[in-house]
Amino acid sequence: MAILITGASAGFGEAMSRAFVAAGYTVVGAARRADKLKALAAELGDGFFPLEMDMSRTESIHDALHNLPEHLREIDCLINNAGLALGLDSADSAEFADWETMIQTNIIGLTFLTRQILPQMVARKAGYIINIGSIAGTYPYPGGNVYGATKAYVRQFSLNLRADLAGTNVRVSNIEPGLCGGTEFSNVRFKGDDERAAKLYENVQFIRPEDIAETALWLYQRPAHMNVNSIEIMPVAQSFGALPVVRDAVPPVAAGEQNFEKQSTSLFAKIKSWFK
Ligand SMILES: NC(=O)c1ccc[n+]([C@@H]2O[C@H](COP(=O)([O-])OP(=O)(O)OC[C@H]3O[C@@H](n4cnc5c(N)ncnc54)[C@H](OP(=O)(O)O)[C@@H]3O)[C@@H](O)[C@H]2O)c1
């Protein structure tokens, strides 16, 4: 019986691998960078099995699962953590290729892998899917366009899984973190502009990968009758702002609206004339 953690080569996934192995579980840690996984395996020993897998390619996921040693094929907990944001540009100028990569990894990869693992959990009437969503899936922000949309998908997919899995004992949770430092998330988002990434975390007490790892472990160790649907975690330093109102821009009146205005004015004049 193993815990399968995707995105184990960095950030949350690496911290979760450490936490689960330290708690005595066997972890299969998946990612693309084999060297990083190898280094983690050297550190964690027998409790960690490195699995090279590209979440943006369904055939890579399929092959990786089929190459797993027999004794690690039974997955008791799947932690769908691998994911990324690319760019922070406005929707009208963002790179479409970045959108495709996010959709392919955060949505299609996650969905395909879940579909591969679920049948064995349902057959055993036991198991746990822990998804890593984001507060970006609930709260929109400028430049969050497709990244936020992929995480909204993860949130709704998690809830819909719960609906399908009623009566199977398989649990599903969605962890929705806010600003978290100590990972490669922003370095990836800003495509190697490490200075820009570092600025985001300057003088901020952010959430640490260990906080997310402890949360995932806590969820997994809850009693079998208990399902936490979602957990939203923000650093105390992060909060909500007012919705912006654009004051100077006067929207142009559409042709259809002009027509409607004319019609409604004449109708109003007619009604008024009835009461004279
Ligand atoms: N950090 C935050 O502030 C934050 C907040 C909310 C949610 N999240 C979410 O938390 C999750 C982990 O983020 P993180 O902060 O730990 O980021 P990170 O440090 O950049 O780690 C991302 C992990 O995902 C893996 N990954 C990315 N693309 C992959 C692919 N195509 N195939 C396989 N693995 C892939 C990476 O491994 P390889 O590059 O080796 O493949 C890496 O291990 C993501 O889903 C992210 O959206 C992060």
Side-chain angles (χ1 to χ4, degrees), residues 125-142:
K125 283 205 169 259
Y128 204 151
I129 310 274
I130 298 179
N131 290 328
I132 307 295
S134 168
I135 60 162
T138 304
Y139 309 106
Y141 60 87

Side-chain angles (χ1 to χ4, degrees), residues 18-72:
R18 285 205 177 91
F20 277 78
V21 170
Y25 303 106
T26 301
V27 169
V28 174
R32 289 167 302 183
R33 285 171 295 175
D35 53 329
K36 291 256 182 193
L37 295 177
K38 219 169 140 192
L40 196 56
E43 176 197 324
L44 297 179
D46 286 348
F48 183 84
F49 182 88
L51 184 68
E52 210 177 317
M53 180 161 95
D54 183 348
M55 289 296 289
S56 67
R57 294 190 305 114
T58 52
E59 64 275 26
S60 166
I61 300 173
H62 176 273
D63 293 350
L65 291 179
H66 281 80
N67 290 332
L68 266 179
E70 200 70 48
H71 72 285
L72 293 175

